[in-house]
Amino acid sequence: MPDGSGTAMQVASLFSGCGGLDLVLQRAGHRIIMQCESDKYCREVLKQHFPGTHVHQDVASIENLPKETELLAAGFPCVDVSLAGNRSGIYGAQTGLWLHIVRLLQKAQRKSRPVPWVLLEVRLRPSIDCGWSEAALTCLGSAQNVPGILCGENKESIGIEHVCTAFERMGYNWAYRTIDASSFGMPMTRKRVFILASLHGDPRDALFAAGNQECMGGCHILASDTPPSMCSECWKKMPRDFTGDDGIINLSQAQAPTRGLAPTFTGSNVTELVAVLPSQGRIGKLGVANAEKLMGFEPGYTDFSRSPGTHVTATALDRIRGNMLGNAVSVDVAEWIGRQIPQFTHKYVLGEFDCRMVTCCTWPEAAWNVGRLGRHKVATSQYPMKLPMQRLHRVLGEVTEDRQGKLIECLRTYINKLRHKGFMTEDLEACINLCMQGRSGSSLGKMVEANLHDISFISVGRLVWAKYSTYPFWPGEVIDVSKYDVAELARLIPAYLIETLLSDSLESHCDDLLIFFFGAQTYAWIKMSDVKDFRNATAERQLMGNPLEHKNFFEAVREAESAAQLRAYQDSGDLAALDAIEDKRFVRNRYSLVSRAAGVAAATHKGPPC
C-alpha cells in the first residue's frame, strides 16, 4: 500500500461497471488483474483507466478466476431486489447473475486455490411504493427505506439471506454494513450495502472497527472550515426547509430537496438534476462533470467519446455517462474499505452493540457471522468517518445556464407538483428567484396557490386545551394511536413515540391521551383530567392565562383554528369550510400525508434517548 501498511492483493473484478470500485482498490495499493462488464460503453471507460487489464464481456463465459486471485470484488445489478425495481428477487434475470460469483468461488475451492477475500457492493434505489402486502409493511414498521436486498415479504424472499447462506456453506466468515457516502464529507446522500467475506480473516475488523456510534454533536468545533461545518449525520437532523442554503432538485421526481445535499443518483436522474446555489447567485443543470465530482471521480472520468469507433451525440453521451454514475460506487466509501483490508490495525471486540439475530421480513442495516458464533446484528451508524460536510458550492464547478427559458418552465411545473402534493415551497421559490435576479425574463413569478381541493388530508383528531409544562393550558390535537397500525403510525408520529408504545404497551397509558401541541410542535402524554374540549373551553379565558407570557401562543391558536376548519370540512364535505381556512400553509404542512411523513422523518432526532 502507499502508506506501507497492510498487504497489496491481486483483485479479480466482476460486474465492474465504469470501474469505480476497481479504481479505489488500485488507489489503495491493490492490483486489478481481471475485469468483467457487459455494457460496451463501460468497457470503453475501463480500457481508458485500466490499460492492459483483460475485460470479459459475459460473466457466464468465465470458466475460472485467475489462480493468483486474493480478492474478488463485485457490484452486481440491483434491479430484481431494489424497492424501486421489479422485486422478482435474488434469483431474477439480472440480480441472479450473482450466482456466477458463487460458481467461481466454489470452483476455485475445488481446485485447492480458494479466494481468501470477497467484497460485494450492492447498488440500491429506495422507494416506499413497492406493492407489498399490509402484513409485510406492518412488520417493516418505520423502515420503508430499508435497502431492497435487506427486506422481503418473508424470510425466503430476503436477498441477503441467500447471499450470506451461500458464504456460510463455502466456509466464509462474513459481515456487512450499510454506509452513507456523505459520511466522508461529500454533500450527497448515497446509501449502499457493503458485504465483506473472508475464509480466515475477520471482516468485522474492516467494517465495524470505526464509527459505530452516532455523532453526539459538537463535530463542527473540530472543523477547519469558515464558517465551521458539521458532519452530515448532524446536518441531516436539521429541518429540511430550503432556507437560503444551496441544494439540488430532481425535476424527474416530485420530492422536496434536502438542503445542502444532492439526492441519490440513479441511472435516469443525473441529467434531470438542477443546482440551486443562492450562496453564489447561480442556478442551472448540474451536469455530468459535477455529478462525477460528487461521486469522487475526476471530471471527465466517464467520458468515452474519444475512444476509437465511438460515435454518439452529445445528448446521448450525457445520458450514458449519467447512467454509469447512477450505478457507480462512491469513491470515498470504497477507498476507505479497500484500505482496511487486510491491514489488521483495528480489532473488533464483541460488545453491547451485538445481539443474536432474529429475522422476519427485514434484516438489520449491519450484521455478521464469524467463527461459528452465529448470526448477529450490530447497532451501528451508517456514518463510519463523520468528516465535516463540504458545502455544495465549493464542490461544484460551472452549472449549465438556462439560455432558452426551458429551465424556468420545468421549475414551474416541478413547484406546482410539490405544492399539489402538500409540500411547502415558499422558501424554495424564494431561493430560485434569488438566483434568477438580474436575468431578463428569468423568474418563477407569482406561483398559483396550491388548491387544497386536490390534496388528500389526514383526518384531524379531537381538538383540545391541555395543560402544558410551562403554561396553564395550550391548544392541541389528540392522536388516537389505537386507530392505526405500526406502519401507519410511522408516517404520522416520531419514532421515539412508537418505541414507547411498543415497550410500554397502551395499558400503561390507559388514563392518558397523546397530545400534539400546536405552535410548539411537540408531543406529550397528558392525563384525561387535564384536557378540555377546544370549542367549549375557548370562551373560558382563565384557562389560557396571560397570552402575552408566551410568544408562540397566538400562532398556536391560529393553527388550532385552521385545524378546526379542516375538521369541519372533513365532517360536512362543505368546500366553503375548506376555502375559509386561515392558515393554508400550516394545513398543507401538517395534514398532507406526504408532508407529515417528511416532517416526522426530519424531526425524529428531537425525541428523548431510549
PDB file of all heavy atoms in Angstrom, residues 265-278:
ATOM      1  N   PHE A 265     -28.014   9.554  -6.798  1.00  0.00           N
ATOM      2  CA  PHE A 265     -28.025   9.419  -8.253  1.00  0.00           C
ATOM      3  C   PHE A 265     -28.569   8.052  -8.643  1.00  0.00           C
ATOM      4  O   PHE A 265     -28.262   7.033  -8.021  1.00  0.00           O
ATOM      5  CB  PHE A 265     -26.610   9.555  -8.825  1.00  0.00           C
ATOM      6  CG  PHE A 265     -25.997  10.911  -8.637  1.00  0.00           C
ATOM      7  CD1 PHE A 265     -24.625  11.093  -8.729  1.00  0.00           C
ATOM      8  CD2 PHE A 265     -26.783  12.012  -8.374  1.00  0.00           C
ATOM      9  CE1 PHE A 265     -24.057  12.335  -8.552  1.00  0.00           C
ATOM     10  CE2 PHE A 265     -26.235  13.267  -8.192  1.00  0.00           C
ATOM     11  CZ  PHE A 265     -24.856  13.432  -8.282  1.00  0.00           C
ATOM     12  N   THR A 266     -29.388   8.036  -9.700  1.00  0.00           N
ATOM     13  CA  THR A 266     -29.843   6.792 -10.302  1.00  0.00           C
ATOM     14  C   THR A 266     -29.433   6.803 -11.765  1.00  0.00           C
ATOM     15  O   THR A 266     -28.883   7.796 -12.265  1.00  0.00           O
ATOM     16  CB  THR A 266     -31.369   6.630 -10.183  1.00  0.00           C
ATOM     17  OG1 THR A 266     -32.008   7.606 -11.028  1.00  0.00           O
ATOM     18  CG2 THR A 266     -31.838   6.819  -8.748  1.00  0.00           C
ATOM     19  N   GLY A 267     -29.738   5.732 -12.460  1.00  0.00           N
ATOM     20  CA  GLY A 267     -29.360   5.660 -13.863  1.00  0.00           C
ATOM     21  C   GLY A 267     -30.099   6.640 -14.746  1.00  0.00           C
ATOM     22  O   GLY A 267     -29.691   6.877 -15.882  1.00  0.00           O
ATOM     23  N   SER A 268     -31.188   7.236 -14.232  1.00  0.00           N
ATOM     24  CA  SER A 268     -32.013   8.089 -15.083  1.00  0.00           C
ATOM     25  C   SER A 268     -32.133   9.532 -14.618  1.00  0.00           C
ATOM     26  O   SER A 268     -32.652  10.369 -15.356  1.00  0.00           O
ATOM     27  CB  SER A 268     -33.425   7.494 -15.197  1.00  0.00           C
ATOM     28  OG  SER A 268     -34.023   7.390 -13.907  1.00  0.00           O
ATOM     29  N   ASN A 269     -31.673   9.869 -13.400  1.00  0.00           N
ATOM     30  CA  ASN A 269     -31.963  11.223 -12.910  1.00  0.00           C
ATOM     31  C   ASN A 269     -30.815  12.209 -13.030  1.00  0.00           C
ATOM     32  O   ASN A 269     -31.011  13.410 -12.803  1.00  0.00           O
ATOM     33  CB  ASN A 269     -32.454  11.172 -11.458  1.00  0.00           C
ATOM     34  CG  ASN A 269     -31.341  10.862 -10.457  1.00  0.00           C
ATOM     35  OD1 ASN A 269     -30.179  10.676 -10.824  1.00  0.00           O
ATOM     36  ND2 ASN A 269     -31.689  10.782  -9.190  1.00  0.00           N
ATOM     37  N   VAL A 270     -29.606  11.759 -13.361  1.00  0.00           N
ATOM     38  CA  VAL A 270     -28.448  12.660 -13.344  1.00  0.00           C
ATOM     39  C   VAL A 270     -28.649  13.843 -14.287  1.00  0.00           C
ATOM     40  O   VAL A 270     -28.317  14.989 -13.953  1.00  0.00           O
ATOM     41  CB  VAL A 270     -27.157  11.892 -13.696  1.00  0.00           C
ATOM     42  CG1 VAL A 270     -25.984  12.862 -13.862  1.00  0.00           C
ATOM     43  CG2 VAL A 270     -26.847  10.871 -12.609  1.00  0.00           C
ATOM     44  N   THR A 271     -29.198  13.612 -15.454  1.00  0.00           N
ATOM     45  CA  THR A 271     -29.395  14.694 -16.423  1.00  0.00           C
ATOM     46  C   THR A 271     -30.613  15.552 -16.095  1.00  0.00           C
ATOM     47  O   THR A 271     -30.866  16.552 -16.777  1.00  0.00           O
ATOM     48  CB  THR A 271     -29.551  14.121 -17.848  1.00  0.00           C
ATOM     49  OG1 THR A 271     -30.628  13.174 -17.869  1.00  0.00           O
ATOM     50  CG2 THR A 271     -28.274  13.425 -18.281  1.00  0.00           C
ATOM     51  N   GLU A 272     -31.378  15.185 -15.050  1.00  0.00           N
ATOM     52  CA  GLU A 272     -32.561  15.947 -14.660  1.00  0.00           C
ATOM     53  C   GLU A 272     -32.346  16.743 -13.381  1.00  0.00           C
ATOM     54  O   GLU A 272     -33.293  17.305 -12.840  1.00  0.00           O
ATOM     55  CB  GLU A 272     -33.754  14.989 -14.455  1.00  0.00           C
ATOM     56  CG  GLU A 272     -34.188  14.252 -15.711  1.00  0.00           C
ATOM     57  CD  GLU A 272     -34.691  15.208 -16.772  1.00  0.00           C
ATOM     58  OE1 GLU A 272     -35.449  16.138 -16.433  1.00  0.00           O
ATOM     59  OE2 GLU A 272     -34.318  15.033 -17.950  1.00  0.00           O
ATOM     60  N   LEU A 273     -31.114  16.814 -12.904  1.00  0.00           N
ATOM     61  CA  LEU A 273     -30.828  17.499 -11.648  1.00  0.00           C
ATOM     62  C   LEU A 273     -30.483  18.967 -11.895  1.00  0.00           C
ATOM     63  O   LEU A 273     -29.736  19.293 -12.824  1.00  0.00           O
ATOM     64  CB  LEU A 273     -29.680  16.806 -10.921  1.00  0.00           C
ATOM     65  CG  LEU A 273     -29.916  15.344 -10.542  1.00  0.00           C
ATOM     66  CD1 LEU A 273     -28.678  14.756  -9.882  1.00  0.00           C
ATOM     67  CD2 LEU A 273     -31.126  15.204  -9.623  1.00  0.00           C
ATOM     68  N   VAL A 274     -31.011  19.833 -11.039  1.00  0.00           N
ATOM     69  CA  VAL A 274     -30.768  21.273 -11.140  1.00  0.00           C
ATOM     70  C   VAL A 274     -30.125  21.763  -9.850  1.00  0.00           C
ATOM     71  O   VAL A 274     -30.641  21.499  -8.757  1.00  0.00           O
ATOM     72  CB  VAL A 274     -32.087  22.047 -11.388  1.00  0.00           C
ATOM     73  CG1 VAL A 274     -31.849  23.555 -11.352  1.00  0.00           C
ATOM     74  CG2 VAL A 274     -32.698  21.626 -12.707  1.00  0.00           C
ATOM     75  N   ALA A 275     -29.000  22.454  -9.979  1.00  0.00           N
ATOM     76  CA  ALA A 275     -28.310  23.016  -8.819  1.00  0.00           C
ATOM     77  C   ALA A 275     -28.867  24.408  -8.532  1.00  0.00           C
ATOM     78  O   ALA A 275     -28.870  25.277  -9.409  1.00  0.00           O
ATOM     79  CB  ALA A 275     -26.811  23.089  -9.086  1.00  0.00           C
ATOM     80  N   VAL A 276     -29.356  24.608  -7.308  1.00  0.00           N
ATOM     81  CA  VAL A 276     -29.849  25.911  -6.854  1.00  0.00           C
ATOM     82  C   VAL A 276     -28.850  26.402  -5.809  1.00  0.00           C
ATOM     83  O   VAL A 276     -28.782  25.865  -4.704  1.00  0.00           O
ATOM     84  CB  VAL A 276     -31.264  25.799  -6.258  1.00  0.00           C
ATOM     85  CG1 VAL A 276     -31.773  27.175  -5.840  1.00  0.00           C
ATOM     86  CG2 VAL A 276     -32.220  25.162  -7.256  1.00  0.00           C
ATOM     87  N   LEU A 277     -28.086  27.442  -6.151  1.00  0.00           N
ATOM     88  CA  LEU A 277     -26.972  27.894  -5.309  1.00  0.00           C
ATOM     89  C   LEU A 277     -27.149  29.363  -4.952  1.00  0.00           C
ATOM     90  O   LEU A 277     -26.474  30.251  -5.499  1.00  0.00           O
ATOM     91  CB  LEU A 277     -25.640  27.682  -6.044  1.00  0.00           C
ATOM     92  CG  LEU A 277     -25.378  26.271  -6.597  1.00  0.00           C
ATOM     93  CD1 LEU A 277     -24.108  26.248  -7.442  1.00  0.00           C
ATOM     94  CD2 LEU A 277     -25.296  25.254  -5.470  1.00  0.00           C
ATOM     95  N   PRO A 278     -28.059  29.685  -4.027  1.00  0.00           N
ATOM     96  CA  PRO A 278     -28.264  31.094  -3.656  1.00  0.00           C
ATOM     97  C   PRO A 278     -27.030  31.732  -3.037  1.00  0.00           C
ATOM     98  O   PRO A 278     -26.868  32.951  -3.102  1.00  0.00           O
ATOM     99  CB  PRO A 278     -29.431  31.028  -2.656  1.00  0.00           C
ATOM    100  CG  PRO A 278     -29.456  29.615  -2.172  1.00  0.00           C
ATOM    101  CD  PRO A 278     -28.969  28.785  -3.308  1.00  0.00           C
TER     102      PRO A 278
END
